[in-house]
Amino acid sequence: DAGVTQSPTHLIKTRGQHVTLRCSPISGHKSVSWYQQVLGQGPQFIFQYYEKEERGRGNFPDRFSARQFPNYSSELNVNALLLGDSALYLCASSFLTGSHEQYFGPGTRLTVT
Amino acid sequence: AQSVTQLGSHVSVSEGALVLLRCNYSSSVPPYLFWYVQYPNQGLQLLLKYTSAATLVKGINGFEAEFKKSETSFHLTKPSAHMSDAAEYFCAVSGPSRDDKIIFGKGTRLHILP
């Protein structure tokens, strides 16, 4: 079975631009969570979605938004990019909301110049 | 509020030696505790988890961790290090509720010396 997939793998954006990151969960998983991992730090929770509804939000500005589609895939959007948004963005899926059996994708490496 | 502190951002051990990665937690509710491993350019993989059952938890790749409530610790060990164990290791804490989020530590990079 395929694991969690994320696209793109890498991308480079300029300050002020907008970016969309995509995630496909493991088949049958209904919950998707997004994390930001800055170099040298642990992942920080951004959002969790379950059955297309937001179930949790971390301490991130409103420039960050997300949504989940009927097929349970998800998008993370970041507006007005700042240099500090450069990070590895990880998506994790689980069968239930808040499930502690989270499976992580390989991440999208975002570089903002 | 919950948090974890990983002692030592870098740990070096010789191949075949004991691996000990330290993690202390803080939690206002009974904690669920996790160890994840991250290989270069990859996502996180769950090594093991403690969810209030047995205090000694065995995970994949020969790793285990012991929950010690009196010491608020959840240290990760492996009797004999292998070169393939070189990676970043993250300790994480959550609560028992479905709505509790996972809080990660800053990570410990494990180096294996030949």
Side-chain angles (χ1 to χ4, degrees):
Chain A
D1 286 341
V4 177
T5 59
Q6 294 186 242
S7 63
T9 306
H10 298 83
L11 74 165
I12 299 174
K13 291 287 189 178
T14 303
R15 278 175 296 176
Q17 286 187 316
H18 162 91
V19 69
T20 298
L21 310 180
R22 296 178 175 83
C23 171
S24 292
I26 292 172
S27 177
H29 284 191
K30 300 181 179 181
S31 179
V32 170
S33 296
W34 287 95
Y35 295 83
Q36 181 195 64
Q37 186 179 15
V38 174
L39 197 62
Q41 302 289 322
Q44 291 215 344
F45 171 75
I46 309 175
F47 287 109
Q48 183 183 66
Y49 276 77
Y50 177 71
E51 292 279 15
K52 302 183 291 295
E53 291 188 1
E54 182 182 303
R55 295 299 298 265
R57 173 187 283 257
N59 188 24
F60 280 81
D62 292 343
R63 299 184 295 108
F64 288 76
S65 63
R67 56 179 174 169
Q68 186 177 31
F69 299 99
N71 66 353
Y72 303 112
S73 67
S74 177
E75 283 183 354
L76 175 70
N77 295 283
V78 187
N79 292 324
L81 286 167
L82 303 174
L83 295 179
D85 295 331
S86 296
L88 180 68
Y89 288 85
L90 295 165
C91 173
S93 78
S94 57
F95 181 66
L96 297 173
T97 180
S99 167
H100 299 112
E101 291 284 352
Q102 288 199 351
Y103 296 84
F104 283 81
T108 293
R109 173 75 61 188
L110 171 64
T111 301
V112 182
T113 62
Chain B
Q2 297 171 307
S3 66
V4 290
T5 301
Q6 293 185 240
L7 303 175
S9 57
H10 291 266
V11 170
S12 295
V13 301
S14 298
E15 190 174 19
L18 171 72
V19 175
L20 171 61
L21 303 183
R22 299 177 187 272
C23 173
N24 287 91
Y25 70 90
S26 173
S27 179
S28 56
V29 296
Y32 281 18
L33 294 159
F34 311 84
W35 277 99
Y36 284 85
V37 62
Q38 186 176 34
Y39 297 101
N41 301 315
Q42 295 188 25
L44 277 70
Q45 181 182 11
L46 181 65
L47 276 178
L48 50 81
K49 64 178 181 180
Y50 166 78
T51 56
S52 75
T55 57
L56 182 62
V57 182
K58 294 187 182 299
I60 62 172
N61 300 340
F63 285 93
E64 64 181 37
E66 185 172 9
F67 172 69
K68 292 187 176 180
K69 185 177 180 180
S70 61
E71 299 177 8
T72 61
S73 68
F74 190 59
H75 301 331
L76 181 71
T77 61
K78 181 175 180 177
S80 177
H82 191 273
M83 295 301 290
S84 61
D85 295 327
E88 187 96 24
Y89 292 80
F90 293 95
C91 182
V93 64
S94 181
S97 167
R98 276 190 178 183
D99 293 329
D100 289 324
K101 301 302 174 277
I102 298 178
I103 307 299
F104 287 86
K106 292 185 176 182
T108 296
R109 182 162 296 278
L110 177 63
H111 304 271
I112 309 298
L113 308 173

